[in-house]
Amino acid sequence: MRNKPIIHSPRHSKRQGAASQETNLQPQTSFSPAIETNPSDLLFRRVAWRFMPLLFLGYVVAYLDRVNIGFAKLQMLGSLHFSNAAYGLGAGLFFIGYFLFEVPSNLLLHRFGARRWIARIMVTWALLSMVTAWVTTPLMFYVVRFLLGVAEAGFFPGMILYLTYWFPAHRRGKMVALLMAGIPVSGLLGGPLSGFLMRAFDGTWGFGGWQWLFIVEALPSITLGIAIYFGLDDRVADAKWLSDDEKALIQREIDADDSVRTHGSVRAVFGSARVWLLCLILFGVVMGSYAIGFWQPTIIRSTGIDDPLEIGLLTMIPYSFALVSMIAVGRHADRTRERRWHTVVPALVAASGFSLCALGGNSSVLSMIGLTLAVSGVVTTLPMFWALPTAFLGGTGAAAGIALINCTGNLAGFISPTVIGWLKSYTHTLASGLVLTAGTLTLSAVLILTFIPACLANR
């Protein structure tokens, strides 16, 4: 149960005044003090600055540890004599462990608190990611990747759930977009870093560059896990840095948001056709996300570029455009309170980008244009998508529903690298896998337009 602050009578009239003022507020799209001048907006801005930097950095290193296997592949396969099919299966097995433990993990987070649970997740997955440096056989690779998925299960949906404790729906779109900006930022930082580590440390102390990649890039997760343990407050009522009036104002907005949610129990979530539809929609989007995460370096190398550092630097181009696109679309969606078309259009842009990559062949120019469209579209679609389920899920149902949607959708993380790896081994080209990915993104866009009501999306 959510603890509500006690409202003392001397302050009651002030709170009523704040509430009447609050009903006329329009959602803001910037943290600028010049724009956010009323007490409610300034308070939520203060809340965001209190813990969003920690959550953002956590997501940056989470995504980096999840997909750095795509860079390690450039050396790892030759060093260990793995096939593309073996790599694809190992990369995808992460998501089987993720799928099996996602819902239990999020329910435990809801029960024990985000501070302890997210910190536990980060330290555990960092250690397992580091262990990947010592795999020598496909079986060892498969086992470590599966356990890595088990360790990380609950991290992203846990953070989405945590945001529902602090922000109502009309303020949450900006926060989710800020959180998921970790994807392009991870690409901007991780590409050059991974390429540098693989080139500069290759052979140092008898380790390959791909091994140093796993060892070094696991260290920030341990540090941030400790910082999150000491830096987060589980609920509004736990925040000693807020006054009673401020807690009451925040809680009132959250409670008003909860009153329009229709799925508040685990049973309602698992029996909801709408929830399962959203699982399918996310599946199509995630097919694109991990086609990028696991195969982008390979797409660039297929154009004739072999140096890992140069490949890493080139990955900065798509992620730079993606960061701008995500922020701009997120702000526009919050200002207009329209979610459906803000999700559909980026998904179709991503589909066109994958199609162009498939047609581009060995052309560096066409491949980079296609990758820029694909990365920008997928990275923008993801935060827009998460405004849909959080609009009607609440309470324990939110913990279970967000986790169910995320883990089921993320099964595409297993299907995408596995199928694309098999198709590449069979056809000796990535084109067929990229066309398949474009198709799944198009299907997700069609499903949103066909089955997601505008009244749900426009919040």
Side-chain angles (χ1 to χ4, degrees):
M1 293 181 59
R2 181 179 288 116
N3 295 324
K4 297 184 179 180
I6 298 174
I7 302 179
H8 301 286
S9 57
R11 298 172 183 168
H12 186 65
S13 60
K14 293 182 181 179
R15 291 175 187 176
Q16 284 183 327
S20 62
Q21 182 184 21
E22 182 183 351
T23 57
N24 295 321
L25 298 180
Q26 296 298 321
Q28 301 299 321
T29 60
S30 169
F31 286 137
S32 171
I35 296 177
E36 297 178 356
T37 57
N38 64 70
S40 181
D41 289 334
L42 291 174
L43 176 58
F44 277 99
R45 176 187 180 218
R46 181 181 164 203
V47 169
W49 277 109
R50 176 76 185 195
F51 54 74
M52 284 307 297
L54 264 182
L55 297 182
F56 169 76
L57 290 174
Y59 196 60
V60 168
V61 299
Y63 196 79
L64 180 62
D65 282 348
R66 183 183 296 186
V67 302
N68 58 12
I69 189 72
F71 271 95
K73 171 184 178 289
L74 300 176
Q75 293 179 350
M76 186 178 181
L77 267 61
S79 176
L80 300 180
H81 307 292
F82 288 1
S83 66
N84 279 289
Y87 161 76
L89 177 60
L93 278 171
F94 169 96
F95 296 95
I96 300 300
Y98 196 85
F99 171 78
L100 293 175
F101 289 88
E102 182 92 323
V103 174
S105 179
N106 225 35
L107 291 173
L108 289 170
L109 182 147
H110 183 66
R111 179 177 179 181
F112 293 114
R115 179 174 64 89
R116 295 178 182 86
W117 202 251
I118 291 178
R120 192 281 305 164
I121 288 173
M122 294 191 70
V123 173
T124 307
W125 98 52
L127 296 175
L128 282 165
S129 180
M130 193 179 295
V131 168
T132 311
W134 284 274
V135 302
T136 56
T137 67
L139 180 59
M140 292 175 64
F141 181 49
Y142 300 156
V143 171
V144 171
R145 289 291 297 179
F146 175 81
L147 292 177
L148 185 62
V150 172
E152 193 175 325
F155 179 72
F156 173 72
M159 290 208 283
I160 295 295
L161 177 63
Y162 184 69
L163 292 180
T164 68
Y165 298 158
W166 287 89
F167 298 95
H170 70 274
R171 298 181 185 275
R172 202 179 309 125
K174 179 169 58 179
M175 296 302 105
V176 175
L178 177 61
L179 176 65
M180 298 194 72
I183 296 177
V185 171
S186 179
L188 285 169
L189 300 176
L193 175 61
S194 297
F196 170 77
L197 290 172
M198 290 173 64
R199 187 173 76 172
F201 285 81
D202 191 29
T204 301
W205 294 350
F207 290 104
W210 65 273
Q211 292 174 297
W212 281 110
L213 171 67
F214 288 119
I215 295 169
V216 174
E217 292 186 357
L219 299 177
S221 297
I222 298 174
T223 304
L224 282 169
I226 297 171
I228 282 175
Y229 180 82
F230 290 103
L232 293 189
D233 294 295
D234 288 328
R235 299 282 186 152
V236 176
D238 301 326
K240 296 179 180 179
W241 45 277
L242 293 173
S243 69
D244 287 345
D245 284 347
E246 290 169 332
K247 291 177 183 178
L249 192 156
I250 294 171
Q251 196 64 58
R252 194 160 47 241
E253 285 208 17
I254 300 299
D255 291 343
D257 201 35
D258 287 344
S259 67
V260 300
R261 290 172 175 164
T262 58
H263 293 57
S265 70
V266 175
R267 177 178 295 181
V269 164
F270 279 89
S272 170
R274 181 181 290 170
V275 169
W276 289 107
L277 173 64
L278 290 169
C279 291
L280 181 59
I281 292 170
L282 182 61
F283 184 94
V285 177
V286 173
M287 282 287 290
S289 178
Y290 289 109
I292 294 166
F294 293 133
W295 295 100
Q296 182 176 212
T298 303
I299 293 172
I300 296 174
R301 188 170 66 174
S302 68
T303 65
I305 300 170
D306 292 320
D307 181 62
L309 180 57
E310 188 175 352
I311 292 173
L313 292 172
L314 284 173
T315 62
M316 295 178 67
I317 297 174
Y319 283 116
S320 297
F321 280 91
L323 183 60
V324 174
S325 172
M326 168 188 277
I327 293 173
V329 173
R331 288 183 173 183
H332 191 265
D334 271 1
R335 185 170 69 250
T336 61
R337 296 201 183 190
E338 198 287 326
R339 310 294 179 185
R340 197 162 55 160
W341 283 102
H342 285 82
T343 309
V344 166
V345 172
L348 294 176
V349 169
S352 68
F354 282 112
S355 299
L356 185 58
C357 285
L359 297 173
N362 297 326
S363 170
S364 297
V365 174
L366 288 179
S367 292
M368 289 307 302
I369 294 174
L371 280 173
T372 299
L373 292 173
V375 175
S376 298
V378 168
V379 166
T380 303
T381 301
L382 284 169
M384 294 300 98
F385 167 85
W386 282 108
L388 305 180
T390 55
F392 66 92
L393 293 169
T396 304
I402 292 170
L404 177 64
I405 293 168
N406 189 64
C407 71
T408 305
N410 270 279
L411 280 176
F414 172 74
I415 300 297
S416 179
T418 303
V419 171
I420 293 176
W422 180 82
L423 288 172
K424 187 176 188 301
S425 294
Y426 184 75
T427 64
H428 305 292
T429 177
L430 282 173
S432 53
L434 296 176
V435 170
L436 173 65
T437 303
T440 64
L441 281 157
T442 302
L443 176 60
S444 291
V446 171
L447 289 174
I448 292 172
L449 287 178
T450 306
F451 296 108
I452 300 298
C455 60
L456 170 64
N458 299 350
R459 293 191 62 215

